[in-house]
């Protein structure tokens, strides 16, 4: 879905039954940091202050590009046939076998942690420094005269900076390491938030009508409320403390 609630595209993925995995046996670490909304807003504010463009990148199939860190086995999906299975059926009436995962799949509890470890190593290789206050914010340069800022939200990246050559180098490295990424030089939406950014006037507006409309539809009683332009009614009068 787009940020305004309209349909974007359909996806179909092979996922695992991660809820069946047992900690200490099938996985050990599942923590994966997520960029704070305040971090994204700070990045956007810096872009407006320095009149820098804001780009958005999406890494395709990020999880399945990562090697597994533990031995994990899954049963083959129903309807999938293998030559090996046909060969086993000649010897065993009802053969049971499993497939070993070489890459992390969606549904595994540890997939986000494996991806974060990989992308953190990639950012370090590109000369970026991880921010101490938010581990999903990376910066390169002196942050004033020549800089590049990248905010990570799993496989969604928000990029800004006044170093155009540095941004281009980062984009080429991203495509080289993770395949052809979806790159938008003028970010119009990010994690369900609409962005309207006028680089000339230096005005950026954020909104999320799709999320608001879905909440109003979920809680039907809210749709009956009257709207107001300000938090308080225009007839509000302050009471004298004396």
């Amino acid at each position: 879905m787009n940020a305004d609630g309209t349909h974007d595209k359909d996806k179909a993925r092979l996922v695992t039954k991660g809820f069946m995995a047992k900690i200490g046996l099938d996985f050990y670490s599942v923590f994966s940091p997520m960029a704070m909304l305040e971090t994204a807003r700070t990045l956007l504010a810096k872009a407006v202050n320095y009149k820098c463009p804001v780009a958005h990148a999406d890494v395709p199939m990020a999880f399945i590009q990562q090697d597994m860190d533990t031995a994990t086995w899954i049963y083959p999906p129903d309807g999938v046939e293998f030559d090996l299975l046909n060969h086993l059926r000649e010897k065993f009436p009802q053969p049971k076998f499993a497939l070993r995962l070489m890459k992390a799949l969606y549904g595994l509890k540890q997939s986000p942690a494996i991806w974060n470890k990989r992308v953190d190593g990639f950012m370090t290789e590109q000369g970026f420094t991880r921010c101490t206050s938010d581990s999903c914010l990376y910066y390169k340069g002196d942050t004033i005269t020549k800089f590049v800022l990248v905010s990570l939200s799993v496989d969604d990246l928000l990029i800004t900076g006044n170093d155009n050559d540095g941004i281009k180098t980062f984009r080429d490295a991203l495509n080289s390491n993770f395949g052809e990424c979806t790159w938008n030089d003028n970010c119009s939406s990010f994690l369900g938030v609409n962005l309207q950014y006028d680089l000339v006037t230096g005005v950026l507006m954020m909104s999320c009508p799709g999320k608001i409309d879905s909440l109003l539809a979920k809680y039907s009683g809210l749709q009956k409320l009257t709207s107001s332009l300000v938090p308080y009614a225009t007839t509000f009068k302050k009471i004298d403390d004396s």
Side-chain angles (χ1 to χ4, degrees):
M1 301 295 288
N2 295 315
D4 58 0
T6 59
H7 177 268
D8 181 20
K9 56 186 175 182
D10 298 319
K11 291 183 179 180
R13 289 195 179 107
L14 173 63
V15 299
T16 62
K17 297 179 180 179
F19 58 86
M20 298 180 65
K22 297 180 179 179
I23 187 170
L25 178 63
D26 301 305
F27 65 93
Y28 298 95
S29 176
V30 298
F31 175 75
S32 178
M34 182 79 172
M36 296 181 292
L37 180 59
E38 291 80 0
T39 299
R41 295 178 65 179
T42 302
L43 182 146
L44 294 173
K46 190 171 183 66
V48 172
N49 188 36
Y50 286 87
K51 294 188 180 299
C52 302
V54 178
H56 174 258
D58 181 22
V59 180
M61 299 178 291
F63 287 1
I64 65 175
Q65 297 191 48
Q66 317 315 315
D67 295 328
M68 290 294 298
D69 58 351
T70 56
T72 305
W73 303 79
I74 64 170
Y75 290 113
D78 294 336
V80 176
E81 296 290 340
F82 301 94
D83 293 338
L84 176 61
L85 178 60
N86 295 329
H87 175 70
L88 291 175
R89 280 177 177 153
E90 297 177 358
K91 298 182 179 181
F92 305 97
Q94 295 181 342
K96 292 183 179 181
F97 72 103
L99 303 176
R100 179 172 179 176
L101 284 181
M102 305 305 295
K103 299 290 184 179
L105 285 183
Y106 288 87
L108 289 176
K109 293 181 180 295
Q110 67 267 39
S111 290
I114 296 174
W115 159 250
N116 183 261
K117 183 178 180 180
R118 167 75 186 283
V119 73
D120 177 62
F122 164 76
M123 297 297 293
T124 302
E125 292 173 358
Q126 300 305 311
F128 283 85
T129 302
R130 200 173 196 174
C131 183
T132 56
S133 58
D134 190 335
S135 56
C136 288
L137 177 64
Y138 294 81
Y139 63 91
K140 185 177 182 180
D142 57 13
T143 70
I144 298 178
T145 59
K146 203 172 186 181
F147 65 90
V148 179
L149 296 176
V150 179
S151 175
L152 298 178
S153 295
V154 190
D155 55 357
D156 283 283
L157 289 74
L158 201 60
I159 308 103
T160 190
N162 55 9
D163 185 0
N164 295 330
D165 292 336
I167 293 177
K168 184 180 183 302
T169 300
F170 174 72
R171 177 179 180 176
D172 294 339
L174 199 65
N175 291 332
S176 176
N177 282 266
F178 303 109
E180 195 66 26
C181 300
T182 302
W183 184 283
N184 185 1
D185 288 317
N186 299 309
C187 181
S188 58
S189 64
F190 180 70
L191 297 180
V193 178
N194 280 338
L195 300 179
Q196 293 179 324
Y197 181 27
D198 190 334
L199 189 60
V200 178
T201 60
V203 176
L204 186 146
M205 295 185 293
M206 304 172 63
S207 62
C208 48
K211 181 64 175 178
I212 294 174
D213 291 340
S214 64
L215 288 175
L216 291 175
K218 181 178 180 180
Y219 303 100
S220 57
L222 297 178
Q223 294 178 322
K224 301 177 182 179
L225 299 178
T226 57
S227 61
S228 177
L229 297 178
V230 292
Y232 292 103
T234 56
T235 57
F236 172 78
K237 294 182 180 181
K238 182 179 179 180
I239 299 178
D240 191 353
D241 294 335
S242 59

